[in-house]
Every structure is written in C-alpha cells, then in structure tokens.
Amino acid sequence: MDKYQHIRTFISAVLEYTKHPSETTASILQRNLGVISTSLDLSIFDPGTNIAAEFYVSLHELMNSLASRTTLIWSAVDVLQNACRNAAARQALIHTFKFAPILARLLEANLTSEKRIRVLKLLQELTYGIKIYWQEAHLPYLVSVLTQWVTQSREENIIALSLGVLVNLCYKNLPAVYILIRTIDTKAFIRTLLKIQHYSVNTKVQCCKLLIILEHTNTNISEKSIWDFADVTFSSFITAMKQKDVLLLRHIIDFFDYVGQNEYSHAVLLTYPHYGRGVENILATLEDNADPECVALMMEFLSFLVKLKLSALVSLYPLCVKTAMTWVPVEQVCSRALTLIRVTVIDARRTKSSSEVLAELDASVLMLIINSENDEIQGKCELTLETETKLAELMQLFQEMVKTSTLRTKVMQSLNEQMIRKLLSPMLDSETCAADNWPGNFIQNPTTNLCIHALALTADLAADNSQWLTLYSELLRKKQIQMTMANALFTGDTDIKQKVLQLTSTMGFPQECVSAVALCMKQLEPLILVQSTHGMVTNIGSKMSVNASSEMVPLFSFVQEERLDAFLAKLERTYESNQINDITTSAVMELYEYKLAAMRHAERAMQSSLEAANNHGTSLQHRLAQVVAESSRLHQMLFDTQQCLEEVKSTLTVKLAEAEEQNKKVVAIKTQKSYL
C-alpha cells in the first residue's frame, strides 16, 4: 500500500471541505487525521517532497479556518505533535510553514488545563530555534498570555511550559525580548521567577534561562550565573532522564551550547570545576534502561563537552566511547553515538590518549550497521533522512579510524568496495526509480553529505590499495557523483565544502572531473538560486507591506481632524492676543486625548496591516515551498532522463559500430564470392 495514501486522501478532502463544508467531508478529514497522527512511519513527514509540501499547506489552511472548539483542530494538533518526532519535518514546520501563529490563537482563557498543556507542549516544539527578525502580529498576544499564566497560574505544568515557550521566543530574538519587557514590570517579573523557580527541576531550568536572557540584554552574563546554570544543568539531567522529559533535556543542552558560543561565557565555562563528577553521573545513568530519545540528546551534550577540550574529561574518554558503543545498535541513538565516538577519537589523538580510547572501539559492531543498511537499501529508490545521517556519521568515523594503522587494517579487512557501491546505489541507480516516487533526495543535504563522506573515505583507502583506487576512479566518472559534488559546493556546510576541495588534490582525481564538476555547477545554478530565495519571501514581503502601511494609514478620522484644526486655530489666536495664560487645563487634556486617540487608531491600523502582511507572506512562502519541491522533482526527472539519453546514445554508438563491422564483413564475403 502507498504510504502516502491517507495524506493524499486528506489533501483532497481539505480541498473539498474549503469549497463545500459538510459532515461527510469532516468525517473523512477526521478519520485520515486520526490515522496520520498515529503513524509509526515518520518518513511520511520528510519535507522536500511534493506530497509533504502540499500536505503541510493543506493542514495550515484547514487549521486557519477552524475555531478552537471544533474536534478537527485538536486532531490536527495531534498530527503536528506526531510530525514533530521527525527532526527535519519539525524544522520545516517552524521555519517554512509557520504553525506557531495558529497555535497562539488556541490559547484562550476558557481552555481546559488538559488542552492548555497540549497546545503549550506543541508550541514548545514549534518555537524551538525559531528566528524572529521583527515584531510579528501574533507575538504581543502570545507573550501577554504566557506571562499572565506564569504570574497567575497555580498549575506547575502550565507555568513550566509557558516559561519554556517564552524562552524559545526570546532566545536570540531581540524583538520578542523587547515585547516581553514592554509587557511586564521587569522587577516584579524577576521576583516572580525567583519565587517560582523552586517548584520543579523543569521550572528551575526555565527560570534560570529566562533570567540569563533578561540579564544579557543589559550586560554580559555574570560568572556566578554561568556556574549556577552549569550546576542546574548537571543536577537536572538525572531527573529529566528518569522522567523521560525530552523537551527539558533539549532546552538545557541547546542553551548550554548557546552560553558556550559567547567568548566571555565560553572562557567562564572552561573554569567550571565539576565537569568530571557531572559526566560520570551522566554515563552511569546511560548504562541503565534509559529512553532512546533522551540518550540521543545526552550523546549530543557529551559531544559538545568533548569539543570544549576539557582536561578533566580526558580520563573519561574510554568510558564515553564504551558507553556510546553500547548504544550504536539502537536506531534512534546511532547517529549521535557515532558523533560522540568520532569527536572523542579526534581529541584523544590530540591528548596522546588514543590507545585506551581505540581499545574500546569495536569495528565489528560498526560493520554490522553498514551491512544491515546495505541489506535494506537493496532494491530501494530512497533512504530516510535518519538513515542517511547515520551512514554519513559512520563514514566520518571510518575516516578517523583509518588514520591509525591498527584500525586501518581492521577497516580494510571488514569493509569492501561492494559495500560502498551498495551504499550509493539509491543515488547511482536513480534512473531506475519511477519519477513520481522519487522524492528529490538528490537535492537534500543528508544525501549530499553521505556521498561526499563516502567519497572521502574511498579516497583515503585508495591511497595504498589498487582495488579502492579503481572504485574511486569509477565513482568520479559518474555524472550523479559529479552533480552531488557541485551541489555540495553550493549548499554544503564548511566541512563538506572543505572535503570536496580536498578531494581534488587526492590521488586518482582526474583533471576532467574538475571540468565536469564546474559544468554541473553551471547546470545547477538556476535551481540553487530558486532554493536560496526560499524562506526570504515572507521577510521581504512583510517588510514592504509594513513600510507601505505606515505611509498610507491616516492618523485621524475626518471629524477628529476638523476638531483638531479648530483647536489649533483657537490656540494660535490666543497666543497672538497674549492670552496664553488663560488656556484651561481641560483644553490641554483634550489635546492630549486627541493624541492618544490618534496613536490608538494608528496602532490598530498597523496591527491589522501587520496581520495581513504576515498572512500574505506566509501564503507566499507556502507557495514557494511547493514550487521548490516541484522544481526539485522536475530537475531530478530531467537529470534521470539525461542519464537515460546518454546511455541510449552510447548503446546506439556501440550498435552502429557493430553494424558497420558486420557490413564490412558482408562486403568482404561478397567480394570473395565475386572472385570465385
């Protein structure tokens, strides 16, 4: 059965429902939303495909047209909650499809506690890492409701979740911070935070983060605040792990990373004295039967600590690798565990402690991953984003392992060229896949990253092995590989770009391939330019709309303007007759009231214009997402067609040569017979 069947049915039903609402269509929507919200196959939410873009746009339109009391909108909330389990989908929901304003409308005063908690949990997911460049129409209302619930609610869950959403909105977003400061009495709000921070671990973490954000608007974070936050971080991890609180863990880790990026606070973090004890406690917790999603986040945190190059952790590197190896076979943890192993191996070489660390590496376990994935890849036209990320991390780890002679031998004994061919087969054999089923993974970064890291590993192994050199040369002649290298130079991060450039200086890299990659870059340029505008239309459109609105909105009504003109004329006559002292206080107050009325009127007009601009911008961004997905699909179809055409041309050339040869033989035979 087509895994997108219920999504396709839902899209058709939404189209029908928006034109002709009926109970029948509503029941179809309800049924399909129920199935999608309980789907265990999270790959159906992968962004970048035509069907996913159309689904999110349809869901947005449906939710935008429903009232908060309808059953359908709460079923849609469940669907969004399930989609958020797919990391790539969550990013698209936050930055491209913008569901936060719709969810903000659901936060009404008469909501039940259960529904408040559902919306706040989803809002935490859909505001995590959000970028706010200026005041958006829904922000004042949302911030006002959240601060009200923080200061007035008596339910600890609602307070903690409201604080979490506030932190998300204000984190690296100055417009949201300014709105918060205008909404609250800062001193009273800080007193409230200090009072409620002892309610629970979650509340304590959020209060600490919000206090640091508010303090950071004025000056650098104090050393004591950073150390207090580090203490809270390590003390909260164990509790969060036991409670399986993924949101809390994500908040702690992300903010710890944020504090570490500031030059001043980074230096203070390095002086924190209790890293060793904290990491030992974390590793001990990970040995128990923990939740995989929580463990994945802990692996991410440990990787960050290793990158800090803390001398207190060097003795714990073998234990870190040993713990990570036990979690490598777990699907949800694998990629993060591999990252931890890789960064630990890299820093162990720096600290001359690599022998103990390498002793904990089990190459056979790593080979089991690639073997199992190769078995699943066989015959497939696509890989899930999670699988591609995991395999890309594995390729990078192998690259670090082959830098050590003993491990290089083990890797070369276990890894063969056929495994790499199978690994890249979904891309190399893309022309065999139906165009409708091909999701455009060729354009997506995880596929690009996997290909480049696999190429870099092959280049390393080809340096002293003729069989790997043959594979390397074969791969570089493939048009798909050349196109992927070109795409990596356009869209890859710094590490990926660097690896592509380094490949050009490796043994066996032909000069013709450089020319081919340059040609591919020229062919890709129009598509990349379309993608680079993705996400910017809303910002530009909103800015233009707001600027135009501010110039066109009248500050006064016609009647108010007449009364103001009359008052100014009276004021001028009084001044000329030197009777200015006779002006009554009431007259001045009347003028002041006019000014306030004008400002309120302008504010309402600007708010309406801002909402209209935001809605129009979001609509344009949705359309752009669909256009980009369709463009990627068509580009992939064009690429596959071109590959097929080249194969047909080469086959035709061979057949023509054979026919010519046969023709020569026939002529020769006829000539011989004529002599006889």
Side-chain angles (χ1 to χ4, degrees):
M1 187 181 78
D2 179 15
K3 66 179 181 180
Y4 295 112
Q5 177 184 343
H6 294 289
I7 288 180
R8 295 183 199 279
T9 307
F10 171 78
I11 293 170
S12 301
V14 169
L15 189 61
E16 178 64 26
Y17 187 79
T18 52
K19 292 179 179 177
H20 310 290
S22 66
E23 289 294 330
T24 305
T25 314
S27 64
I28 295 173
L29 288 172
Q30 185 73 52
R31 183 167 61 253
N32 284 281
L33 284 172
V35 174
I36 297 169
S37 67
T38 56
S39 174
L40 299 178
D41 183 5
L42 299 182
S43 66
I44 64 174
F45 299 113
D46 283 347
T49 64
N50 277 358
I51 187 70
E54 196 171 351
F55 169 66
Y56 293 135
V57 170
S58 298
L59 187 63
H60 191 281
E61 289 177 358
L62 177 66
M63 294 183 71
N64 212 22
S65 65
L66 296 173
S68 62
R69 297 183 182 277
T70 59
T71 308
L72 273 177
I73 200 164
W74 295 102
S75 299
V77 166
D78 292 335
V79 169
L80 288 175
Q81 195 71 61
N82 194 31
C84 285
R85 294 168 57 203
N86 181 316
R90 184 172 62 243
Q91 293 302 309
L93 293 174
I94 295 170
H95 302 295
T96 303
F97 299 100
K98 299 184 180 296
F99 279 87
I102 294 178
L103 295 174
R105 288 195 291 105
L106 297 180
L107 295 178
E108 299 173 348
N110 57 352
L111 273 185
T112 63
S113 294
E114 183 266 334
K115 286 186 175 179
R116 282 189 189 183
I117 290 172
R118 284 173 66 185
V119 177
L120 286 172
K121 280 184 176 180
L122 185 54
L123 261 176
Q124 274 210 92
E125 294 278 7
L126 296 184
T127 55
Y128 181 77
I130 196 169
K131 298 300 178 188
I132 302 172
Y133 298 101
W134 50 72
Q135 178 172 318
E136 297 183 7
H138 68 286
L139 275 180
Y141 171 74
L142 179 56
V143 170
S144 174
V145 171
L146 293 173
T147 52
Q148 182 181 346
W149 288 356
V150 167
T151 55
Q152 297 180 12
S153 178
R154 297 184 179 181
E155 299 182 51
E156 291 183 12
N157 280 343
I158 290 178
I159 291 174
L161 290 169
S162 299
L163 282 169
V165 179
L166 266 181
V167 168
N168 284 348
L169 294 174
C170 297
Y171 176 57
K172 295 184 179 179
N173 294 317
L174 284 178
V177 176
Y178 296 149
I179 290 172
L180 174 63
I181 292 173
R182 289 202 304 268
T183 304
I184 60 174
D185 178 344
T186 307
K187 291 183 179 179
F189 189 68
I190 289 176
R191 284 197 298 270
T192 301
L193 293 180
L194 295 173
K195 178 182 176 182
I196 65 176
Q197 67 177 338
H198 303 294
Y199 283 2
S200 65
V201 172
N202 198 340
T203 308
K204 186 173 185 179
V205 170
Q206 305 296 2
C207 286
C208 184
K209 291 171 66 176
L210 199 51
L211 286 169
I212 289 176
I213 288 174
L214 290 173
E215 182 180 1
H216 193 59
T217 58
N218 300 316
T219 182
N220 276 327
I221 308 171
S222 67
E223 182 174 326
K224 182 180 183 303
S225 296
I226 296 172
W227 280 26
D228 286 345
F229 184 74
D231 283 331
V232 170
T233 296
F234 285 107
S235 63
S236 303
F237 275 144
I238 309 304
T239 306
M241 287 285 290
K242 291 178 180 177
Q243 296 176 351
K244 300 181 180 180
D245 194 335
V246 176
L247 283 173
L248 176 59
L249 284 173
R250 194 187 297 150
H251 268 293
I252 297 171
I253 293 167
D254 189 65
F255 204 75
F256 199 93
D257 184 27
Y258 165 62
V259 172
Q261 289 174 11
N262 179 278
E263 184 177 351
Y264 167 76
S265 54
H266 178 83
V268 176
L269 273 182
L270 295 178
T271 64
Y272 180 70
H274 305 304
Y275 281 117
R277 183 182 63 197
V279 171
E280 283 180 355
N281 291 336
I282 290 173
L283 292 173
T285 306
L286 293 180
E287 292 177 357
D288 299 333
N289 186 21
D291 178 69
E293 198 169 354
C294 294
V295 174
L297 289 169
M298 294 310 304
M299 294 289 174
E300 183 181 336
F301 178 68
L302 291 173
S303 299
F304 170 74
L305 291 184
V306 171
K307 289 176 183 177
L308 287 178
K309 298 180 172 59
L310 302 166
S311 57
L313 298 186
V314 174
S315 61
L316 295 175
Y317 281 176
L319 184 56
C320 286
V321 172
K322 181 180 179 181
T323 304
M325 286 299 300
T326 62
W327 284 97
V328 162
V330 180
E331 178 75 20
Q332 294 161 280
V333 187
C334 184
S335 60
R336 307 281 178 83
L338 291 172
T339 302
L340 174 59
I341 296 171
R342 176 171 57 84
V343 298
T344 305
V345 168
I346 292 171
D347 201 55
R349 274 202 303 271
R350 179 187 66 86
T351 57
K352 311 299 183 185
S353 59
S354 57
S355 57
E356 297 89 347
V357 171
L358 298 176
E360 300 295 341
L361 273 175
D362 189 346
S364 60
V365 174
L366 301 177
M367 293 304 166
L368 282 176
I369 299 172
I370 196 168
N371 285 329
S372 64
E373 294 301 336
N374 273 333
D375 291 341
E376 291 185 17
I377 288 170
Q378 194 67 30
K380 286 190 176 182
C381 292
E382 60 178 286
L383 298 176
T384 64
L385 298 182
E386 179 60 34
T387 300
E388 289 173 338
T389 304
K390 176 173 63 176
L391 290 172
E393 284 293 342
L394 187 60
M395 294 298 103
Q396 291 182 83
L397 177 56
F398 282 154
Q399 283 179 261
E400 297 304 326
M401 290 172 66
V402 299
K403 291 177 182 178
T404 305
S405 57
T406 54
L407 288 178
R408 184 183 184 89
T409 304
K410 287 183 180 180
V411 171
M412 294 190 73
Q413 286 174 350
S414 306
L415 188 66
N416 57 54
E417 308 91 275
Q418 194 59 31
M419 290 181 177
I420 299 297
R421 284 192 179 92
K422 283 185 179 179
L423 203 65
L424 299 176
S425 62
M427 180 176 57
L428 298 178
D429 302 333
S430 61
E431 64 270 15
T432 64
C433 301
D436 288 340
N437 293 330
W438 182 255
N441 280 346
F442 166 74
I443 300 300
Q444 294 175 6
N445 274 332
T447 304
T448 302
N449 293 352
L450 171 58
C451 177
I452 298 303
H453 290 310
L455 265 182
L457 175 62
T458 305
D460 288 344
L461 296 175
D464 53 7
N465 186 289
S466 59
Q467 292 179 332
W468 282 98
L469 183 59
T470 302
L471 171 64
Y472 186 47
S473 301
E474 176 190 326
L475 290 175
L476 290 175
R477 287 194 297 269
K478 295 281 188 180
K479 183 66 178 288
Q480 294 96 325
I481 297 294
Q482 296 165 2
M483 195 70 82
T484 302
M485 293 173 68
N487 185 45
L489 289 172
F490 272 122
T491 63
D493 56 25
T494 305
D495 182 52
I496 288 294
K497 285 182 169 68
Q498 181 179 341
K499 285 198 174 181
V500 174
L501 295 174
Q502 287 173 344
L503 285 174
T504 60
S505 61
T506 56
M507 179 188 298
F509 195 96
Q511 185 63 36
E512 312 86 73
C513 190
V514 176
S515 303
V517 171
L519 179 61
C520 290
M521 290 183 72
K522 182 176 178 60
Q523 293 172 351
L524 273 179
E525 189 173 9
L527 179 62
I528 298 299
L529 288 175
V530 171
Q531 288 182 312
S532 66
T533 60
H534 188 46
M536 296 171 60
V537 168
T538 300
N539 297 340
I540 297 170
S542 297
K543 187 173 183 179
M544 289 174 64
S545 300
V546 171
N547 288 341
S549 304
S550 61
E551 295 172 1
M552 296 172 65
V553 173
L555 294 178
F556 295 95
S557 67
F558 183 70
V559 175
Q560 287 175 325
E561 189 173 351
E562 282 188 338
R563 294 179 65 184
L564 181 60
D565 287 341
F567 180 78
L568 289 175
K570 179 181 177 183
L571 183 62
E572 186 177 359
R573 289 194 301 271
T574 304
Y575 175 74
E576 289 175 353
S577 60
N578 200 22
Q579 296 177 349
I580 198 73
N581 292 331
D582 296 338
I583 296 178
T584 60
T585 304
S586 60
V588 177
M589 291 179 64
E590 183 181 3
L591 181 60
Y592 180 66
E593 288 296 330
Y594 286 150
K595 184 175 180 61
L596 287 182
M599 291 178 66
R600 283 194 294 268
H601 178 76
E603 185 179 8
R604 285 194 300 271
M606 290 296 294
Q607 182 70 16
S608 299
S609 299
L610 184 59
E611 289 176 4
N614 280 351
N615 291 336
H616 183 58
T618 301
S619 174
L620 288 175
Q621 191 158 348
H622 288 179
R623 291 170 61 187
L624 182 59
Q626 291 175 297
V627 168
V628 168
E630 178 66 12
S631 175
S632 299
R633 186 183 72 84
L634 293 175
H635 194 277
Q636 185 63 46
M637 285 177 61
L638 180 62
F639 176 71
D640 294 341
T641 304
Q642 183 181 355
Q643 289 295 105
C644 292
L645 183 60
E646 289 178 1
E647 287 185 9
V648 170
K649 284 182 178 179
S650 61
T651 304
L652 183 60
T653 303
V654 171
K655 295 298 183 184
L656 286 173
E658 290 177 356
E660 184 67 24
E661 186 67 28
Q662 292 296 327
N663 190 43
K664 288 180 180 179
K665 289 181 180 180
V666 170
V667 171
I669 292 172
K670 286 183 177 179
T671 304
Q672 289 177 359
K673 286 184 177 181
S674 65
Y675 286 127
L676 294 174

